[in-house]
């Protein structure tokens, strides 16, 4: 077949091949998840986001042309067994206890860490503080800012009282320049890249901030970290607007992903590990944003309970565990008569489906009719609770708001509620009780079956509940009915005979 083609035709074919290879490859890349499409479409099939596709030149995104790749013969390598000598990952303390707690004891050499968060949450502040402390401890630390000029970074350091720290600073965005510069001299122990969205590399054609650029830049920096053993922190903004590539596209490439969270209006900031190849992912670091930078909060319970609204209905203190640390936090509930056809259920800081479950159990097993009420639940202080142990505290706060009866101010609540209405035991009962006692609480409402595993109750009086029904009855007995005008909707809502709710409570709801 080859012989039938004239030499001149063969030349033309080769030329065409070249032209095809050199031609830039344009595709539409989702700026949220990085999925690529040949054609524009309104919705990304991969992540379901709308209007996130934008045209990108992905030339060079794959490392080698197909013709080269297929010719290369793979080298052989030695396969290892699972047993063998391994060393603990060498770590470098940041000098900030809360940050070390989240990373699992410090930065690991040669690892790459992504710190994500909304713009303005305090990522640059956190990393300026950490790098300064490490530089003061005698490590070579480099801070590359792609967003701010050197003068701006200096100003921040001055404000934080850290201007004297020997951090090496630069305002650069070219990955090639950064890598060349950092390859000279001693290997830096830590490099901060603020932010990955501003970086660009020559190897790909598309504009800085696009998925292709962010991915290629991150890859180059990760290669540098693995080669030299320097730890790298990439800062990434989480934006929903589709203009800037979300840092989600690099999440799978890095060793750890930390998320810096907080409500804009509040001073608390929480650093949480979303992924960590070298440590736990359930630890949180708590900070407070002050006029002089971030202050570490070593006892978060005190902070979360500092602005408690004592004696108002609808609040319950939950004795929770975050990682290895007990954390007391206030849950606030508001149950108000609705004017809507479908009542509103809004929750901040907790899983909405858990709230639905607790409401369903209250309705089905305890005769608490909530279909005519809007329900709001809020976790104070901007904390996000993931434990099912918060069920009991949430239920107590909800019922307290419904019957307008404040809960005892010196009580903490914890326990998981099952679909049958039983209150289930949760882990680390003693640690929760100890923390409550330390903060001056006098009693704990906890699962009945947890009693056996309590080593010391820390001097608390324990009120163990076997089922949700008895707790609801107890709270309802303290309450005074309100919302008398809401009778219509609940008029037909019957209360089953088997529940133990006092008649007073039943009258109010049925
Ligand atoms: P910054 O670290 O620049 O946020 P990010 O890098 O995540 O975008 O922090 C910005 C906010 O922090 C800004 O609104 C001002 C506030 N801030 C303080 O309240 N106190 C301080 O000491 C500093 C440096 C910043
Ligand atoms: Mg910043």
């Amino acid at each position: 077949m080859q012989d039938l083609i004239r030499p001149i035709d063969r030349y033309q074919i080769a030329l065409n091949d070249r032209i095809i290879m050199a031609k830039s490859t344009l595709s539409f890349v989702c700026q949220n998840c990085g999925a690529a499409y040949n054609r524009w479409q309104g919705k990304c099939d991969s992540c379901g986001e709308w209007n996130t596709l934008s045209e990108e030149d992905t030339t060079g995104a794959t490392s080698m042309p197909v013709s080269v790749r297929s010719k290369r013969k793979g080298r052989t390598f030695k396969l290892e067994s699972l047993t063998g000598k391994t060393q603990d990952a060498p770590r470098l303390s940041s000098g900030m206890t809360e940050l070390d707690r989240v990373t699992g004891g410090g930065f690991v050499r040669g690892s790459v860490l992504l710190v994500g968060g909304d713009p303005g949450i305090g990522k640059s502040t956190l990393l300026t503080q950490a790098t300064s402390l490490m530089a003061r401890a005698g490590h070579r630390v480099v801070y590359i800012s792609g967003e701010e000029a050197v003068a701006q970074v200096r100003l921040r350091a001055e404000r934080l009282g850290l201007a004297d720290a020997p951090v090496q600073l630069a305002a650069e965005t070219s990955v090639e320049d950064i890598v060349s510069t950092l390859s000279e001299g001693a290997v830096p122990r830590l490099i901060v890249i603020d932010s990955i969205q501003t970086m660009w590399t020559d190897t790909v054609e598309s504009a800085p901030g696009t998925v292709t650029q962010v991915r290629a830049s991150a890859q180059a920096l990760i290669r540098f970290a693995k080669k030299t053993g320097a730890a790298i922190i990439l800062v990434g903004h989480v934006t929903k607007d589709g203009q800037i590539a979300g840092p989600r596209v690099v999440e799978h490439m890095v060793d750890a992903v930390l998320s810096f969270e907080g409500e804009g209006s509040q001073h608390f900031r929480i650093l949480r590990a979303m992924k960590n190849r070298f440590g736990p992912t359930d630890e949180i670091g708590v900070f407070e944003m002050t006029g002089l930078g971030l202050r570490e909060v070593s006892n978060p319970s005190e902070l979360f309970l500092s602005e408690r609204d004592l004696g108002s209905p609808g609040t319950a203190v939950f004795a929770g565990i975050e990682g290895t640390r007990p954390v007391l936090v206030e849950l606030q509930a508001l149950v108000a008569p609705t004017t809507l056809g479908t009542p509103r259920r809004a929750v901040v800081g907790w899983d909405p489906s858990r709230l639905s479950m607790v409401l369903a159990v209250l309705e089905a097993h305890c005769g608490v009719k909530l279909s005519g009420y809007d329900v709001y639940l809020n976790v104070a202080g901007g904390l996000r609770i993931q434990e099912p142990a918060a069920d009991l505290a949430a239920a107590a706060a909800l019922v307290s708001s419904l019957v307008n009866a404040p809960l005892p101010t010196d009580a903490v609540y914890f326990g998981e509620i099952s679909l049958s209405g039983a209150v289930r035991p949760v882990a680390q009962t003693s640690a929760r009780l100890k923390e409550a006692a330390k903060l001056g609480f006098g009693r704990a409402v906890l699962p009945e079956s947890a009693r056996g595993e309590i080593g010391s109750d820390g001097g608390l009086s324990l009120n163990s509940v076997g089922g949700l029904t008895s707790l609801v009855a107890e709270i309802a007995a303290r309450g005074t009915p309100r919302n008398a005008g809401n009778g219509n909707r609940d008029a037909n809502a019957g209360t089953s005979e088997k529940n133990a709710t006092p008649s007073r409570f039943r009258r109010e709801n049925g």
Side-chain angles (χ1 to χ4, degrees), residues 456-496:
S456 113
D457 56 14
L460 263 67
S461 88
L462 304 179
N463 176 6
S464 45
V465 287
L468 193 54
T469 320
S470 59
L471 179 70
V472 169
E474 205 175 295
I475 299 169
R478 306 160 63 98
T480 48
R482 65 163 188 186
N483 320 325
N486 193 52
N488 313 2
R489 190 180 287 276
D490 291 337
N492 303 325
T495 317
S496 64

Side-chain angles (χ1 to χ4, degrees), residues 118-125 156 159-160 237 289-293:
D118 294 334
I121 204 78
K123 300 180 293 296
S124 305
T125 308
R156 182 186 290 120
R159 181 174 171 184
L160 299 170
H237 294 298
M289 183 62 96
T290 69
L292 295 171

Side-chain angles (χ1 to χ4, degrees), residues 163-245:
D164 63 317
V167 176
Q168 297 182 313
L169 198 60
E172 275 302 328
T173 52
S174 158
V175 172
E176 278 77 22
D177 294 354
I178 293 170
V179 167
S180 309
T181 309
L182 297 182
S183 303
E184 284 171 10
V187 175
R189 297 298 299 273
L190 180 73
I191 302 160
V192 173
I193 304 286
D194 187 3
S195 65
I196 186 65
Q197 275 112 346
T198 55
M199 296 295 138
W200 62 279
T201 156
D202 296 337
T203 54
V204 292
E205 300 283 327
S206 58
T210 53
V211 169
T212 316
Q213 272 292 1
V214 167
R215 208 184 266 158
S217 303
Q219 243 154 18
L221 290 164
I222 290 168
R223 225 175 297 131
F224 179 77
K226 303 288 171 215
K227 203 175 80 189
T228 59
I232 296 188
I233 300 179
L234 306 175
V235 174
H237 294 298
V238 183
T239 58
K240 277 224 128 193
D241 84 28
Q243 282 300 312
I244 307 173

Side-chain angles (χ1 to χ4, degrees), residues 358-371:
V358 170
L359 293 178
V361 173
L362 282 172
E363 190 129 20
H365 297 289
C366 310
V368 181
K369 299 293 173 198
L370 290 156
S371 53

Side-chain angles (χ1 to χ4, degrees), residues 88-156:
D88 245 4
R91 289 181 185 271
L92 184 63
S93 167
S94 65
M96 298 176 90
T97 324
E98 292 295 299
L99 180 55
D100 285 350
R101 183 197 302 282
V102 182
T103 52
F107 304 118
V108 175
R109 289 191 61 175
S111 72
V112 179
L113 205 140
L114 177 71
V115 178
D118 294 334
I121 204 78
K123 300 180 293 296
S124 305
T125 308
L126 175 73
L127 296 173
T128 306
Q129 287 181 239
T131 46
S132 301
L133 292 177
M134 289 171 69
R136 274 186 182 165
H139 302 294
R140 185 184 175 201
V141 182
V142 180
Y143 192 105
I144 309 274
S145 177
E147 286 181 351
E148 293 162 300
V150 170
Q152 276 174 294
V153 182
R154 275 200 197 121
L155 264 177
R156 182 186 290 120

